[in-house]
Amino acid sequence: MRCFTPSAAVGGLIRHAALAVWALAIIRPAFSQATSSHSAAPTVADARRFMDRAEKELEALSVKQSRAAWVAATFITDDTEEMSADAQARLSVAVQRYALQAKGFDKVEMPSDLRRKFKLLKLSLAAPPPSDSAEALELTRLGVGLASDYGKGTYCRHRSGDTAKAECLQINDLSRILATSRKPDELLDAWIGWHSISPPMRPRYARFIELSNKGARELGFADAGQLWRAGYDMTPEQFTAEVERLWKGVEPLYVALHAYVRTKLVAQYGPSVVPPGGLIPAHLLGNMWAQEWGNIYDIVAPAGSGGLGYDITALLASHHVDSPGMVRYGERFFMSLGFDSLPGTFWTRSMLVKPRDREVICHASAWDIDGKSDVRMKACLEPTASDFVTAHHELGHNFYQRAYSAQPFLFRDGANDGFHEAIGDAVALSITATYLKQVGLLDSLPSAAGDTAYLLRQALDKVAFLPFGLLIDQWRWKVFSGEIAPADYNRGWWALRERYQGLAPPTPRTEADFDPGAKFHVPANTPYTRYFLARLLQFQFYRAMCRAAGHTGPLYTCSFFGSKEAGAKLARMLEAGANRPWQETLYTMTGEHDIDPGAMLEYFAPLKVWLDRQNQGHPVGWGNVEAAGR
C-alpha cells in the first residue's frame, strides 16, 4: 500500500467464527508454497519470472488493500474494520510468502535493478507476519485493532459543578487546549485525559511485538527493529551509527533552544512549575507530545521584536480561505514549479475536513490508491498556520507518488522513507513572507527586524522536533530487541524523552500507563526515524533548489516559488522513486552523497548566535546533557 499512514490503518478483531475460518483457509495455502524449492539451481530468467509474478500479484492486492483501508480510516465501523483487516492480511501474507521464496534466489548473479527488487521485497513489511497462518491472522487483527483504538480515542470529563453531563473530547479538541491554554491545570487535565486512552493497548502491543519479531526472524533478521534499519542501503549497524552522527551534529542547536524556552517558561509559570535548570514538564510546550513547540511562540517571542509582522492564521481568515482552499495554495505551488495539476478525483475522493456524522482517523496522511492517478489526502484540516504547512507537506507525498508512477511496482516509493517526508516540508520552507506576498495573502513585506522572530518560530517546530523524531524508534528498537521489556515500557519511554528532549512527565507515571501508545505512530506501527531524517533532508533539498533558483542572501529568506529550474531538479529526483540507492538519488539533487546537517545549521546560524547570547547567565542543558549544551 503506497500511502503514508500504516498499511493496517484501522480495523478490529474478526468476531465471527465462520469468517475467521474462511480467512485462515485463504492464508494457509499461501504459506504452503513458501517452503517449496527448485529442483535445479535457479537462473536469472527464473528470478525475473518470479519477480514479474510477485509484482503483478502484489500490485493487485495492494490496490484492494488500499481501498479497504481508506474506507476503514474515513468511516470507522465494525464492518469496515473487518474488511480492512482481511485485505491487509491477504497482502501481508502474500508479501511474506514471496519474501520467503525470494531467499531461494540469494545466490543467483543478477542485474543490479533486479537484485534491488529482491531486497526491497524482503523489506516491504514493517510487521512481517509469521508463517504460521493463525499467528499471521492474529498479527493483522492486533495491528488494525490498535490503530482503531487510537482513532476512536476519547476522553470524557465532567465540567465543574455539573456531574450530570459528561464532555467528551477527542485528539483535535484536546490538542487545541494544549495549543491555546496558558493555565497549567487545564493543560494537565488535557494531557492526562488523552494519555488515558492507551493503557488498554499495552498487552496487545506486547503480543504484536512478539509476533512481528517472529516474522522478521523467518526472513533472516534478529528482530523487526533490525529489519527496519536494514532499509537504508547500508547495514543496520552502519545506519545506527549514521543516525547518531546526524544527531550529534544538531544537538548543540537543540540544547540552546531548550535552554532559551525553559527560561521563558520559568518566567511564565514560575520555578515551582518549571525547574530553572532541569527538565521541562511535557504539557507546557503547546503540543500533546511536545514534539513541536510553535504553539507557545507568544510565550517565548523575542522581547521588543514586534513579532513576525504577520499571522498566517489571521491572513487565511481575512482572505476567507477554507480547508480545501489551503490545499489549492499547495497545489499551485507545485504547479508553479512545472508540475501538472492534481487529478479531478483528488478533490472528489479526498477527506480534507472532519465529517460531522462519523468517526474517522484524523491524522493527516497522503494516499496512493492505485499506483497510477488515484492520489488522495486524508486530514481534518482547519484554516490555521499549522495546517497550511500540513497541506503543503501532504501534497509533497502526492506529487512524489505521481512522479514515480511509471516505475515498476517495487520502485514506487521514496529513495528512502525520509525522502518522502522531506519533499513537502522543503516546499513549506518556501512559505516565507515573499511567497505570501506573491500569492496575494500578504500586502507588504515585514521589516527585516522580524527575522530573528521568524527564525525562532521556525526553530520551535523544525529544531524542537529533532530529538522526538529520533527517540520513538530508539524506544521501539529496544523494545523489539528485548532491551526494554514489556514490564518497563513506560520507564524506558520516559528515560529516552529525558535523555534526548530534556522533558519530564507532568505527573508521576507508572507501568500501569502506556504513554507511547498515545502517539499515533506507535499503535499504528509506522517507523518514525523517517521524520528525523526528513527534518534534515528538507533543508538539504531546500538549499539545492534555492541554488537552482539563483537565490542570493541568507538561506532562510529564499522562496523558489515559480522557479522552473528548481522544479526540474526536483522532478528528476522524484521520478527515480526507489530504483537506486538513495545516496545516488540525493547526489542528483544536491551534489552530495550524504545527509548533511550543515544545511539546517546554515539556515539557523543567525538564530544560534542570538540564542547563545540570550542564554548567557542562565542554565543550559540538563543532567548529563549539561556539558554538551555549554
Side-chain angles (χ1 to χ4, degrees), residues 246-362:
L246 296 173
W247 167 243
K248 288 302 181 184
V250 294
E251 184 183 23
L253 177 59
Y254 175 79
V255 171
L257 179 67
H258 177 281
Y260 172 78
V261 168
R262 181 177 56 197
T263 297
K264 290 290 187 176
L265 289 174
V266 171
Q268 173 78 15
Y269 296 114
S272 63
V273 176
V274 183
L279 305 171
I280 299 175
H283 65 310
L284 301 178
L285 291 159
N287 175 272
M288 184 62 72
W289 309 279
Q291 67 183 63
E292 293 172 334
W293 304 348
N295 288 323
I296 63 164
Y297 175 78
D298 60 301
I299 296 176
V300 305
S305 68
L308 302 181
Y310 60 91
D311 179 340
I312 293 179
T313 300
L315 292 174
L316 294 170
S318 67
H319 287 81
H320 309 291
V321 179
D322 59 10
S323 297
M326 294 193 301
V327 181
R328 292 284 186 186
Y329 274 100
E331 179 191 33
R332 287 193 290 271
F333 196 116
F334 281 92
M335 291 173 64
S336 82
L337 301 179
F339 291 87
D340 290 338
S341 60
L342 292 163
T345 52
F346 173 89
W347 300 103
T348 58
R349 298 175 183 175
S350 290
M351 185 190 84
L352 303 178
V353 297
K354 189 178 190 303
R356 297 180 179 180
D357 62 342
R358 62 187 189 270
E359 290 186 298
V360 300
I361 292 181
C362 275

Side-chain angles (χ1 to χ4, degrees), residues 337-339 399-400 402-405 407 411 413-415 419 423 541 544-545 547-549 563-582 584-591:
L337 301 179
F339 291 87
F399 278 92
Y400 205 165
R402 294 182 75 199
Y404 58 57
S405 62
Q407 293 285 348
F411 290 160
D413 208 341
F419 275 62
I423 298 303
F541 296 162
M545 285 188 280
R547 289 170 176 171
S563 171
K564 297 299 190 294
E565 295 78 10
K569 183 177 282 288
L570 177 61
R572 284 193 297 272
M573 182 175 74
L574 302 188
E575 290 165 0
N579 72 359
R580 67 194 71 165
W582 66 264
E584 296 178 17
T585 304
L586 177 66
Y587 184 79
T588 65
M589 173 69 162
T590 67

